Amino acid sequence: MTCLIHVFGAAVLLIVFIAIALFPFLVSENVKVLVVIAVLYYPVWAVGMYRVFQYFRKRKGIAIVKIMVDDKGIHFYKKSGNVDAILYSQLGRSLLSDDYQVYLTRQRKTWILAVGIDHNETKVVFDGTDIGCTHYIKNGRALRARFIEGIVRFRPDLKIDPFVFEEFSIHPQKFIFDGKRYMKHILEIAVIASILLLISGLLALITIMIVK
């Protein structure tokens, strides 16, 4: 998966690079106009490509390549060699949640695990794709379940939102990924999506018939 991410990402960047480089030739066939556009366009293009290259180079250095959960907390190993950690001893209240110290928050239509550190909300992502997006963490669900188990065992004073166990399909006693619950959840989503598509299709058909 990591190799596929690298190959696919490089291919997409190459296609975008070529498309942007050929843009002046696509918008004009007149040689004089093309020369004027090229004189103005390519310096900006060169600066833009340089900044993009620097950006990806910087992001690559902070990409997460390994995640480990132990009795201290969760540790994120980065490609640069640095290690970030969220320790159980750091966890506490968050200003964004009055009832729970461990809860879920929305990010780009996806539920993300959130904890409180120094009264601030800290998002905890277990697939490594929030930073860099160059390596695939294959056991993200197991890591998430083990981290939550660590909170329960080492910080029993913290309250965990029950929705965390439901949304992430984690068994509340065994602290393992519950495949049956996950498939049930996926099936429910598929049924709801199918019903919505069917209703949309019927409404579209009725609208066409009325127009005719």
Side-chain angles (χ1 to χ4, degrees):
M1 286 298 298
T2 297
C3 290
L4 287 175
I5 291 173
H6 290 171
V7 172
F8 181 75
V12 171
L13 288 176
L14 181 61
I15 292 172
V16 172
F17 178 84
I18 295 174
I20 296 177
L22 297 178
F23 178 74
F25 296 93
L26 300 176
V27 297
S28 177
E29 297 180 354
N30 187 291
V31 177
K32 293 182 179 180
V33 175
L34 182 60
V35 170
V36 174
I37 293 176
V39 170
L40 298 174
Y41 177 81
Y42 282 109
V44 177
W45 172 82
V47 173
M49 290 297 101
Y50 174 77
R51 290 186 176 274
V52 169
F53 174 76
Q54 291 291 85
Y55 172 80
F56 278 103
R57 186 178 180 182
K58 180 180 179 181
R59 300 295 290 183
K60 186 178 180 181
I62 62 175
I64 297 172
V65 299
K66 179 183 177 182
I67 301 176
M68 184 178 71
V69 178
D70 58 17
D71 58 353
K72 301 296 182 182
I74 183 169
H75 309 269
F76 300 93
Y77 294 81
K78 298 184 178 180
K79 192 175 181 65
S80 61
N82 296 329
V83 181
D84 287 345
I86 298 177
L87 306 179
Y88 301 128
S89 59
Q90 295 176 301
L91 305 184
R93 296 187 61 82
S94 169
L95 294 176
L96 299 182
S97 178
D98 297 328
D99 299 323
Y100 301 102
Q101 290 79 53
V102 183
Y103 54 97
L104 298 183
T105 184
R106 277 281 190 180
Q107 180 174 295
R108 294 190 293 271
K109 298 182 180 180
T110 302
W111 288 112
I112 302 293
L113 185 69
V115 296
I117 298 179
D118 296 330
H119 298 284
N120 294 318
E121 181 180 87
T122 299
K123 298 181 178 68
V124 190
V125 181
F126 296 85
D127 56 8
T129 58
D130 60 323
I131 301 178
C133 195
T134 60
H135 291 72
Y136 177 77
I137 307 297
K138 63 180 181 180
N139 59 338
R141 294 190 181 97
L143 289 167
R144 183 164 49 205
R146 183 56 58 89
F147 179 65
I148 293 173
E149 179 184 10
I151 295 174
V152 173
R153 294 183 183 277
F154 301 110
R155 291 298 306 275
D157 56 307
L158 301 179
K159 295 181 64 177
I160 302 177
D161 188 346
F163 185 54
V164 171
F165 296 94
E166 179 183 347
E167 177 63 24
F168 291 147
S169 302
I170 298 174
H171 196 286
Q173 282 80 40
K174 298 180 180 179
F175 298 102
I176 58 175
F177 175 69
D178 192 337
K180 292 183 179 180
R181 179 181 293 185
Y182 177 74
M183 292 306 300
K184 181 181 178 181
H185 187 58
I186 293 297
L187 182 61
E188 290 174 352
I189 294 175
V191 170
I192 293 173
S194 300
I195 293 174
L196 291 176
L197 287 174
L198 180 60
I199 294 174
S200 300
L202 290 174
L203 290 176
L205 181 62
I206 292 173
T207 302
I208 294 173
M209 293 177 64
I210 293 175
V211 171
K212 288 183 178 181

